[in-house]
Amino acid sequence: MTAHKITPDRLRSRDWFDNPDHPGTTALCLERYMNQGITLEELTSGRPIIGICQSGSDLTPCNRHHIELVKRVKDGI
């Protein structure tokens, strides 16, 4: 397996937000992210978009630690 160096041109987020081959997908992703409060400057900065999801809940104690873990991950990024 050949390792590919990740450059701004190869970031997956570039395919989502700046893909002239798939303008419909680009428009959909832009609409969704702008509804989440991401600014145009953030979208065009060339930096990767990092999404964090978690399954923590106050209802299930076995997953409750994920709530704190996500806070720590966000602080680390």
Side-chain angles (χ1 to χ4, degrees):
M1 177 190 275
T2 303
H4 294 286
K5 182 178 179 185
I6 297 177
T7 65
D9 293 336
R10 295 189 53 84
L11 295 174
R12 282 183 291 175
S13 54
R14 176 70 60 134
D15 286 337
W16 301 334
F17 300 116
D18 186 21
N19 190 341
D21 295 330
H22 299 284
T25 300
T26 297
L28 179 63
C29 290
L30 284 171
E31 178 185 355
R32 287 182 178 171
Y33 273 89
M34 292 182 90
N35 285 336
Q36 298 297 321
I38 294 177
T39 67
L40 182 60
E41 290 78 24
E42 290 171 317
L43 287 171
T44 58
S45 69
R47 298 177 67 193
I49 303 295
I50 300 172
I52 301 169
C53 63
Q54 57 95 2
S55 60
S57 169
D58 288 338
L59 298 174
T60 56
C62 59
N63 290 336
R64 188 178 179 96
H65 70 282
H66 292 164
I67 297 169
E68 183 60 31
L69 180 61
V70 165
K71 290 177 189 174
R72 293 176 63 195
V73 169
K74 285 181 181 179
D75 290 343
I77 293 173

